[in-house]
């Protein structure tokens, strides 16, 4: 007998649209009709805010067709040419906007376009913890309330209930040492062969313990654009072979920053005497990701850049892109808290 798990294969319902782009897509999926991406390009895409609710929800919905899909939506819509065309155009404005925020105007001799001498140096810099940090995890460690932690859990569920899935798209696009080491890290993320230990399942346990809905995409309609963008960026990287270097860089940045950040969140949860499943999820990441960091730096990024040096710029873009969207997430949540709890009035969920 295998121990039961929290997550289920039931596809979620389609979310509510937030503008003309997401409305066109969601309506086409709901009604089984075609989407006219060419008309949308002329009227909406080029003028849309790449980090706005409409674009980010449309991207999230388009990407979800490659994951669990949606209830009452034909699985074959995953490869619908009109949807793929719209997604391509939305990805273009998203990637252009991220590049505009992380690339330097000019690179000095010996430097990449991102202004870093090497991916290894950037990862080394990222591994150094500031003595007096002031990011979100520091504030939650020292002063965070239980309601603020619940807000964080609900919004992060859009990623953690599919944790490691977006990066897994890179596996068939790697070779040799980089592939073997990448899979070794993913093996841990997927529970090392134990269904109840898959990190997605551990997060579902956390959600139940926090009196939140553990259902897949349960909080999609409540999540602002800045909470969707981090997931969309990793899906964008992962689904494109041409961006396999960015996927590797993104994964490396995720693991390098995970262990110390998880330790701060764990300390905050211990201060609040939070339920054990909440603490266990972050305790697991403190221990596992400290090891993963070294594997990714040496055996994944190191091997990839050695074998395909032309991908180093992409690796760096993946790292810098990760940092940019994560900073935006922190800024968005911090600003939202100034107006009160994000999930104010949400009743405990019966499970």
């Amino acid at each position: 007998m295998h121990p039961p798990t929290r997550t289920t294969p039931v596809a979620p319902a389609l979310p509510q649209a937030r503008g003309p782009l997401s409305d066109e897509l969601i309506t086409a999926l709901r009604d089984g009709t075609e989407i006219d991406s060419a008309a949308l390009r002329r009227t909406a895409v080029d003028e849309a805010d790449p980090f706005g609710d409409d674009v980010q929800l449309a991207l999230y919905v388009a990407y979800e067709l490659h994951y669990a899909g949606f209830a009452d939506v034909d699985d074959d819509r995953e490869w619908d040419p009109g949807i793929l065309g719209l997604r391509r155009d939305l990805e273009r404005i998203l990637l252009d906007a991220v590049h505009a925020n992380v690339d330097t105007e000019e690179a000095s001799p010996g430097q990449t376009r991102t202004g870093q001498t090497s991916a290894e140096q950037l990862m080394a810099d990222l591994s150094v913890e500031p003595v007096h940090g002031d990011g979100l995890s520091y504030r939650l460690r020292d002063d965070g309330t239980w309601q603020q932690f619940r807000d964080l859990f609900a919004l992060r569920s859009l990623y953690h209930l599919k944790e490691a899935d977006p990066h897994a798209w890179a596996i068939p696009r790697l070779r040799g040492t980089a592939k073997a080491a990448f899979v070794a890290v993913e093996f841990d993320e997927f529970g090392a062969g134990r269904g109840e230990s898959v990190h997605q399942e551990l997060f579902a346990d956390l959600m139940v313990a926090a009196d939140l809905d553990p259902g897949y995409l349960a909080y999609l309609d409540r999540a602002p654009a800045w909470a969707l963008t981090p997931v969309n960026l990793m899906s964008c990287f992962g689904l494109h072979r041409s961006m396999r270097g960015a996927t590797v860089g993104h994964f490396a940045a995720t693991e390098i920053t995970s262990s110390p950040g998880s330790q701060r969140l764990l300390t905050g949860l211990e201060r609040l005497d939070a339920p054990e499943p909440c603490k266990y999820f972050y305790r697991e990441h403190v221990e596992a990701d400290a090891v993963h960091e070294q594997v990714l730096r040496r055996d994944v990024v190191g091997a990839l850049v050695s074998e395909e040096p032309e991908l180093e710029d992409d690796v760096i873009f993946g790292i810098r892109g990760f940092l940019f969207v994560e900073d935006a997430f922190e800024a968005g949540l911090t600003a939202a808290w100034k107006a009160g709890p994000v999930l104010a009035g949400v009743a405990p969920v019966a499970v």
Side-chain angles (χ1 to χ4, degrees), residues 314-348:
D314 292 335
V315 172
I316 293 173
F317 176 57
I319 296 172
R320 297 291 295 274
F322 165 84
L323 296 173
F324 171 70
V325 297
E326 288 298 316
D327 285 348
F329 178 98
E330 292 197 8
L333 186 52
T334 300
W337 279 336
K338 293 180 179 179
V342 174
L343 299 179
V346 174

Side-chain angles (χ1 to χ4, degrees), residues 2-10 160-161 194-218 275-278 281 349-351:
H2 296 287
T5 56
R6 295 280 185 188
T7 57
T8 66
V10 177
H160 282 304
L161 292 178
R194 299 183 301 275
E196 73 278 9
S197 298
V198 173
H199 287 185
Q200 299 165 11
E201 302 295 338
L202 297 182
F203 198 79
D205 293 341
L206 172 152
M207 295 287 281
V208 173
D211 286 332
L212 294 167
D213 191 338
Y216 184 72
L217 304 193
E276 178 56 29
C278 299
F281 177 81
V349 174
V351 178

